[in-house]
Amino acid sequence: MRTARTLASAALALAASGCLTFVEVPVETPIRPKIDASPFSRVYVAGFLPSGTEDVDTNLETVRLLRSQLKNKGGMRIIEADVLPLADAAKPVPAESAPAAPPAAAQSDSGKTDTIAEAELPPYEKIFENKDFWKKVGEEFGSPLIITGSVVFVPHQRSGYVQKEQEVYDSFGRRSVVPVRTYMDRKGYILRPKFVFIDGRTGETLYTETFREEILYNAEQSTPALSSYFELMDRLLPSFLSTLSSQTIRGSRFLLK
Amino acid sequence: MPALKKLIALAVVGVAISATLAHAADRKAAVEQVSFGIDAARAGLWREATYRWERAIEIDPSYAAAFNNLAIAYEQAGLFEKAKQAYQKAAELDPKNTYIKQNIDLFKEINDRANRQNAR
């Protein structure tokens, strides 16, 4: 009986010592891309429907940014062609019975595409469903993966209480930092891009994803619209890139003995 | 009659001892596999580590650490479903182990993210 008890306690001690021994190791967990881009040898970032402020040419800037990101970080072959004036191509044709309304988007004298009012965007977005249109675009560039979509970039303002940290000194001159709630007028921008991935061989939409980011500054602070645009795009680019290329998440785990 | 009782008691103790000895031997062999796997993983040889930990759970299916380590190896390979099952088994075998719990929490974050990506 004593032998059994000794063995059992030895086994327990072994188990206990096993649980206490650990090794922390770095791990790299791969996350697969959202769509399989392997059938496409090249990617064509075609153009975007611009909506919102006219301070930034969101069509041109988004195309330039995505092309460089896909080339540098996504390691993809990018077609460097002219930016598609998508707003012109997507302009809804008014019905004959309808009053002849001026088109919401037109090519301005400067060559820059005028932005589309946010409320008028849905009829323009029907272009993404036009398989023939995208098939033709695909044929022109050797059936690549086409990236298109719309980019809403609008000014935004919000006032309210915000928590700030304030330095205070007591009667002995000792400094401390305390949270203070203050009322502030803040303004900034909202960025809402919709990315549409189209198969250039068939014109079919493979995948669509919409993001929303916003930024607010102190109302007295003057931040250029273009800076805000890039700041907001920076936030969502990793997620955009993970659509086409696999991501690795680095972390650590505990191996046990 | 008392002699028979004594005999039965002795037989029971004998069986218990041999079972304990057998389990201890299995655990020893499994611990060796697990240790070898840890060395392999630390050297970045995750396939070898996976093999060792799979062997360890074959030898001793009650070894929580082996399941935990195997789950990590599956995670590293992007095999989330297998990792989830191995973590579940590890937690079932050793529910109070804080390291296993912590690994599971970290895994959940990544698994949720991967699921969100797949759901889109």
Side-chain angles (χ1 to χ4, degrees), chain A residues 61-77:
Chain A
E61 297 298 345
T62 308
V63 169
R64 281 170 49 179
L65 182 65
L66 297 189
R67 282 181 185 176
S68 75
Q69 289 290 318
L70 286 168
K71 202 191 305 179
N72 299 330
K73 291 186 182 165
M76 316 205 80
R77 289 180 62 204

Side-chain angles (χ1 to χ4, degrees), chain B residues 51-70:
Chain B
Y51 171 75
R52 293 295 158 188
W53 296 328
E54 281 172 347
R55 283 281 302 128
I57 61 167
E58 271 171 28
I59 297 167
D60 185 354
S62 66
Y63 193 7
F67 278 102
N68 169 78
N69 297 357
L70 192 56

